[in-house]
Amino acid sequence: KMDSVMAKLASRQDIIWVSSTTGRFDVLAVARFASTDELSDFLQKQLPAMEGIRDSETFICLSVKKGRYIRV
């Protein structure tokens, strides 16, 4: 179901990057939300409703020392 999950994530406007990976996680996604309320709604309601999602872990970037700003 990994391809299906990746396709569902990639179709969302708030998801700006999706990749299959090796190691601890099968899929990594980078998302941008306008507020923590939007992030919370996504994590508590929308993500669990996607078939094929078994678990998730969230990382919030607090300070970026190097990297490009990715526009949507």
Side-chain angles (χ1 to χ4, degrees):
K1 294 186 181 181
M2 190 165 70
D3 288 337
S4 173
V5 168
M6 290 178 65
K8 288 175 192 174
L9 290 169
S11 71
R12 297 179 55 93
Q13 286 198 336
D14 44 23
I15 305 293
I16 58 175
W17 183 81
V18 179
S19 176
S20 60
T21 64
T22 62
R24 183 173 163 191
F25 304 104
D26 295 327
V27 175
L28 290 178
V30 175
R32 282 190 10 193
F33 295 95
S35 68
T36 54
D37 288 337
E38 284 186 15
L39 170 61
S40 179
D41 183 70
F42 175 73
L43 293 175
Q44 293 179 0
K45 298 176 185 170
Q46 298 170 40
L47 190 62
M50 289 185 194
E51 187 177 339
I53 299 287
R54 194 175 68 208
D55 195 10
S56 69
E57 187 169 345
T58 303
F59 301 88
I60 297 176
C61 298
L62 299 176
S63 176
V64 178
K65 299 296 181 201
K66 182 176 182 178
R68 289 187 180 183
Y69 176 78
I70 303 170
R71 292 185 184 244
V72 177

